Structures are given as C-alpha cells and as structure tokens.
C-alpha cells in the first residue's frame, strides 16, 4: 500500500535511487503503475496547492469535504475553489454549490467531479445552458435574478430551496464508491508528495526514468 512505499522511501533516500527503483519495480506492474501515477499527481497538484494556499481561507478544504460528504478528492476540491475565485465568485458560497452538485450527481448517475466542474464553470461563465444540465432552469434563474440582481445569488437561493426539498442526506452505494475513489486519489497524492520530499523534483524525474 501507499504507507509501505512511503516507508520504503525513507530507507532508500539519498544516493540509493537505483535500489529504490529496483525495489518498486520488483513489487510488480500494479505497484509501478500506482507509483508513476502518484508522482504525476503530485506534479499536477503543486501549482493548484500553491494557488489554493493564496486564497488564505483556513478551514475551507475541510468545509468542502464535509459539504460533498468525502466524495470528491482534495485535489479536485482545491481546483474547484481556485477556479471559483478566478471567476471572482464568492468562495463562501462554494460549499453550498458543491453540496448541490454532489446531490445532482447522485440523482442523475453522472460523475460527481463532472457535476462539480459544471456548477463552477456554469456560474463562472454565467451559462444558463450549463446550469440547465444541473436541473437549474433558465426561467428559474431569470425569475430569481429579478429579486437577487445577481446570478450567483439567484442560483444560491434556488439551490438552497432544492436542497431543503431533498431533505436529509442519504448515503448510497454511488456515494460510497465515489468516497473510495476520492480516498484513493488522496492517498496517491500523499505518496507522490512523500516521494518529492524524499528525492526532490529532479530526483522524482530520475526515479521515474529508472522505474521505466
């Protein structure tokens, strides 16, 4: 598992890059694949993590994980938050938006990551067509905007009404599968980061070459 490989990194740190690569390769093709994916994930996450830190919103990640019931990985949540901020949307509303996206994913059988991206992009681009895919009709939005005067506020009100109608959260098999996938991605990211911390960025590149 991720923990055993991370522990191995401490043993094989320093100048023992070749032995580390041989050890990982010796664990089988599945472990090699996971290791390579973990290193790629850590590289992808680096910029996102820095951008998320610049939001300076303590507790935001935990709030988003709670809002989505752990069904979305930390990396995808950070991406959503950074994108939301880039669109100049109020980050304090993001938890409500993502809770709705997760509920809609469950209702429609769509991927929760797809629904999260859809609501962020739909609001950011003020796209009634994308919001319509989430079950928020153009007529509803236009009607609410007469009172709210702003699309994000209007959609927020619609979502709160819809969530109230949905009642108490019910955990489903789909949620459990999404949660397991999110946990796996979080663990792979942690492994990739551990490898970066042990070998450095250039060392990880060298290790990837040796594993191949």
């Amino acid at each position: 598992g991720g923990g055993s490989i991370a522990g191995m990194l401490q043993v094989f740190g320093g100048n023992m890059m070749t032995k580390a690569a041989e050890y990982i390769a010796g664990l089988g093709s599945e472990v090699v694949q996971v290791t390579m994916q973990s290193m790629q994930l850590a590289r992808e996450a680096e910029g996102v993590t820095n951008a998320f830190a610049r939001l300076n919103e303590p507790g935001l990640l935990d709030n988003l994980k709670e809002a989505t019931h752990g069904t979305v990985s930390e990396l995808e949540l950070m991406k959503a938050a950074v994108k939301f901020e880039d669109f100049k949307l109020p980050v304090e509303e993001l938890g409500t938006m993502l809770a709705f996206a997760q509920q809609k994913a469950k209702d429609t059988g769509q991927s929760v990551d797809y629904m999260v991206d859809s609501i962020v992009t739909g609001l950011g681009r003020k796209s009634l067509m994308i919001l319509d895919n989430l079950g928020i009709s153009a007529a509803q939005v236009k009607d609410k905007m007469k009172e709210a005067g702003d699309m994000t506020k209007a959609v927020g009100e619609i979502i709160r009404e819809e969530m109230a109608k949905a009642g108490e959260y019910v955990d489903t098999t789909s949620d459990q599968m999404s949660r397991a996938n999110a946990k796996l991605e979080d663990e792979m990211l942690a492994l990739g980061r551990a490898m970066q911390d042990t070998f450095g960025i250039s060392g990880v590149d060298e290790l990837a070459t040796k594993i191949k």
Side-chain angles (χ1 to χ4, degrees), residues 99-115:
F100 177 75
Q102 192 251 339
Q103 181 63 46
K104 280 296 173 182
K106 184 161 56 177
D107 291 347
T108 61
Q110 292 274 13
S111 143
V112 64
D113 287 350
Y114 170 77
M115 286 301 201

Side-chain angles (χ1 to χ4, degrees), residues 144-164:
K144 283 289 182 188
M145 280 182 70
K146 290 174 188 173
E147 306 163 24
D150 173 81
M151 181 180 278
T152 304
K153 287 180 182 174
V155 171
E157 286 182 25
I158 293 167
I159 283 174
R160 277 182 271 274
E161 289 172 8
E162 291 291 324
M163 296 293 280

Side-chain angles (χ1 to χ4, degrees), residues 1-49:
S4 62
I5 297 176
M8 173 275 296
L9 294 177
Q10 301 305 317
V11 178
F12 288 123
N15 297 321
M16 302 185 74
M17 186 80 69
T18 302
K19 285 194 176 181
E22 287 173 356
Y23 180 88
I24 292 169
L27 294 174
S29 59
E30 189 175 333
V31 174
V32 169
Q33 186 179 5
V34 168
T35 303
M36 297 294 287
Q37 287 174 345
S38 296
M39 290 190 287
Q40 179 59 39
L41 202 58
R43 184 177 289 281
E44 178 188 339
E46 196 170 6
V48 177
T49 303

Side-chain angles (χ1 to χ4, degrees), residues 68-83:
T68 54
H69 302 277
T71 58
V72 183
S73 71
E74 289 188 1
L75 179 56
E76 291 303 319
L77 290 174
M78 288 192 290
K79 283 180 182 177
V82 169
K83 196 171 179 181

